[in-house]
Amino acid sequence: MVHILPPLNPCQTYCPLITAPQPRTDIISTVEFNHTGELLATGDKGGRVVIFQREQESKNQVHRRGEYNVYSTFQSHEPEFDYLKSLEIEEKINKIRWLPQQNAAYFLLSTNDKTVKLWKVSERDKRPEGYNLKDEEGRLRDPATITTLRVPVLRPMDLMVEATPRRVFANAHTYHINSISVNSDYETYMSADDLRINLWNFEITNQSFNIVDIKPANMEELTEVITAAEFHPHHCNTFVYSSSKGTIRLCDMRASALCDRHTKFFEEPEDPSNRSFFSEIISSISDVKFSHSGRYIMTRDYLTVKVWDLNMENRPIETYQVHDYLRSKLCSLYENDCIFDKFECVWNGSDSVIMTGSYNNFFRMFDRNTKRDVTLEASRENSKPRAILKPRKVCVGGKRRKDEISVDSLDFSKKILHTAWHPSENIIAVAATNNLYIFQDKVN
């Protein structure tokens, strides 16, 4: 069995497979593996989607353990302007979600603030030749010159990967879309914004069903917003959504068409002794994820990752401190707006390890079985191909050791908000600003 987290020798954990730098303006905004892990998609603030494909292992090059190389790049969204509201709609890709592969083509959903698109990514290595009514350049021929009947044939050509939009789901959200989630029936998906969640059918683009609406009649009475939403991995009628108040609601679509009344309500009572001016801000949930088994829910707030059992609503069964050393820095983090950063969290394939990002290009891993944790750094300086990532430690106060970094030296402009984990192997993808790092566990 491969150990994800270090036992006694923490230096032998992950080695980088590839570092894929992008132009400084192309800040990565989402990362997602497909269901097999053979493809990895990233979206950026420029509205582009870049897909990486895992190379097949070569007997001649054993050390190249399935590296990821660029497979396709396409422009998913363009900047738009809402003339009715005089608002710019930026092209930034907020989320990407893959559909399970049914044939030779791949399908994925991508969304910006307002519009969700269904893309088909397919390969073409043959082209038709020998048309009767067209010449080789595609121009129509004079019917009078056609004296024989030809049977068109397919000729080999260089492999070309095409991305074509198959559906465009627009005009259903007044507020910014923060989540999309594909249902386990693979016929529907949902999109969530600050106040509403809509249910879509993949075949119908001009109509969606509103399944959650928390908008008050008087907007001055608004106390919370929806921050994330996801379908259950196995039960197509069940989904969860989180709020800026740190609560999670589990809803069952069998109960009613409009799921304003939740089935379960998950909330941890606040400790009055820890109450501060920033309590409400740091308790806001930035991400919610079902475990692959469907038994647990993982949530990420500003300082912690929590794991909830679906059968216990009053408190989480596990709480992991991501960067508790920042608790004394909340005032400065509020002033530079970092306190509003939205970190994501992911499970490994067996739900035994969870991963999330932090500042200074650090990312954290927590082993749920051994209770061990590790802090690693994704940077071009210490992430040369085949190199070993060394655990990092943050010194809060007192005497700093040689291998530690002071909390005052952390770079808050370098942050890892988006991460992804291969569905079955110990391969992770980490987006650090405009660089994508792919690591895998070390093989002796």
Side-chain angles (χ1 to χ4, degrees):
M1 179 178 177
V2 180
H3 290 282
I4 311 299
L5 291 176
L8 298 177
N9 52 344
C11 294
Q12 300 179 3
T13 314
Y14 281 89
C15 57
L17 278 174
I18 180 177
T19 300
Q22 298 182 18
R24 284 299 305 180
T25 54
D26 297 343
I27 308 300
I28 298 174
S29 54
T30 183
V31 184
E32 187 79 7
F33 279 103
N34 74 338
H35 289 71
T36 63
E38 293 304 303
L39 297 180
L40 171 67
T42 66
D44 63 28
K45 286 192 174 182
R48 288 171 292 273
V49 172
V50 180
I51 300 176
F52 298 86
Q53 184 182 46
R54 193 180 189 187
E55 298 296 324
Q56 298 298 319
E57 293 186 28
S58 172
K59 293 182 179 179
N60 300 327
Q61 295 175 306
V62 182
H63 68 280
R64 295 173 63 92
R65 290 185 59 227
E67 294 186 358
Y68 285 80
N69 294 313
V70 175
Y71 177 64
S72 176
T73 303
F74 60 92
Q75 189 72 30
S76 173
H77 287 71
E78 300 282 356
E80 300 175 49
F81 191 81
D82 188 335
Y83 293 97
L84 293 177
K85 296 183 178 179
S86 296
L87 290 175
E88 283 190 41
I89 303 172
E90 63 176 345
E91 63 272 32
K92 172 192 168 189
I93 307 298
N94 292 338
K95 295 290 179 182
I96 290 175
R97 290 292 180 264
W98 290 91
L99 277 68
Q101 189 176 5
Q102 305 290 343
N103 48 41
Y106 302 98
F107 289 86
L108 64 84
L109 287 172
S110 65
T111 183
N112 65 351
D113 286 341
K114 298 292 183 180
T115 304
V116 183
K117 294 184 180 181
L118 175 65
W119 289 89
K120 176 183 178 182
V121 181
S122 56
E123 297 180 354
R124 189 151 60 94
D125 59 359
K126 293 181 175 63
R127 67 171 181 268
E129 290 183 0
Y131 288 110
N132 290 285
L133 299 179
K134 295 180 180 179
D135 59 20
E136 299 304 326
E137 297 180 358
R139 294 175 297 193
L140 289 174
R141 298 170 61 187
D142 184 359
T145 63
I146 302 176
T147 58
T148 58
L149 183 65
R150 296 188 297 176
V151 178
V153 295
L154 292 174
R155 302 287 187 194
M157 59 175 283
D158 292 336
L159 179 66
M160 184 170 63
V161 181
E162 296 178 315
T164 54
R166 300 305 301 268
R167 304 279 190 276
V168 177
F169 306 90
N171 305 320
H173 285 277
T174 306
Y175 307 96
H176 291 177
I177 298 173
N178 56 47
S179 303
I180 52 175
S181 180
V182 179
N183 202 347
S184 59
D185 62 10
Y186 304 132
E187 294 182 1
T188 57
Y189 77 92
M190 69 177 174
S191 56
D193 64 25
D194 294 338
L195 297 179
R196 297 188 179 99
I197 300 177
N198 293 332
L199 180 68
W200 300 83
N201 187 293
F202 281 111
E203 301 299 323
I204 303 172
T205 60
N206 61 354
Q207 186 181 28
S208 64
F209 295 96
N210 181 225
I211 54 177
V212 172
D213 189 346
I214 66 169
K215 182 181 179 182
N218 182 2
M219 286 295 284
E220 292 181 358
E221 299 173 359
L222 182 66
T223 58
E224 63 180 333
V225 295
I226 298 169
T227 56
E230 186 174 67
F231 268 119
H232 191 282
H234 310 303
H235 304 312
C236 62
N237 54 281
T238 307
F239 67 93
V240 295
Y241 68 92
S242 58
S243 84
S244 57
K245 276 193 169 182
T247 62
I248 310 106
R249 292 170 173 84
L250 180 77
C251 299
D252 190 337
M253 293 190 291
R254 296 172 300 183
S256 63
L258 187 63
C259 300
D260 284 347
R261 292 187 176 182
H262 48 265
T263 304
K264 291 191 174 185
F265 183 77
F266 301 86
E267 183 179 26
E268 184 177 21
E270 184 183 11
D271 185 355
S273 62
N274 292 331
R275 180 73 183 173
S276 72
F277 172 78
F278 306 105
S279 294
E280 192 168 322
I281 300 175
I282 63 175
S283 67
S284 176
I285 294 175
S286 56
D287 195 17
V288 59
K289 294 279 176 60
F290 271 108
S291 62
H292 296 88
S293 66
R295 172 69 185 272
Y296 304 102
I297 303 172
M298 174 170 56
T299 60
R300 170 69 204 264
D301 56 41
Y302 190 67
L303 295 177
T304 66
V305 172
K306 296 174 182 176
V307 177
W308 303 75
D309 190 318
L310 288 185
N311 297 325
M312 190 167 72
E313 304 172 47
N314 59 341
R315 61 183 175 87
I317 59 171
E318 299 163 24
T319 300
Y320 301 97
Q321 300 295 333
V322 179
H323 40 216
D324 197 53
Y325 46 80
L326 295 182
R327 196 175 290 274
S328 61
K329 302 287 183 181
L330 293 179
C331 187
S332 58
L333 291 167
Y334 178 78
E335 291 174 354
N336 61 19
D337 286 342
C338 284
I339 200 171
F340 301 105
D341 286 333
K342 294 176 170 55
F343 294 93
E344 297 176 1
C345 52
V346 291
W347 302 87
N348 73 334
S350 60
D351 299 333
S352 61
V353 182
I354 57 183
M355 175 174 64
T356 190
S358 182
Y359 294 104
N360 208 71
N361 279 357
F362 289 169
F363 59 98
R364 303 268 283 139
M365 288 184 172
F366 303 93
D367 190 315
R368 300 180 60 209
N369 298 324
T370 65
K371 302 305 177 184
R372 291 193 180 98
D373 65 87
V374 66
T375 301
L376 301 173
E377 182 180 4
S379 65
R380 303 184 71 175
E381 291 75 21
N382 64 1
S383 298
K384 297 177 182 178
R386 309 294 124 203
I388 304 299
L389 282 189
K390 295 181 179 180
R392 303 301 305 270
K393 291 184 179 180
V394 178
C395 174
V396 179
K399 191 173 182 180
R400 182 173 64 88
R401 295 180 182 177
K402 183 179 179 181
D403 59 340
E404 294 180 339
I405 181 172
S406 170
V407 67
D408 296 319
S409 302
L410 296 177
D411 188 343
F412 293 105
S413 65
K414 296 179 179 179
K415 58 193 79 173
I416 293 179
L417 303 177
H418 314 288
T419 57
W421 202 309
H422 190 287
S424 58
E425 298 183 38
N426 292 329
I427 298 176
I428 60 173
V430 176
T433 318
N434 68 325
N435 292 304
L436 175 68
Y437 297 91
I438 301 177
F439 303 100
Q440 71 178 58
D441 59 333
K442 180 180 180 294
V443 176
N444 295 318

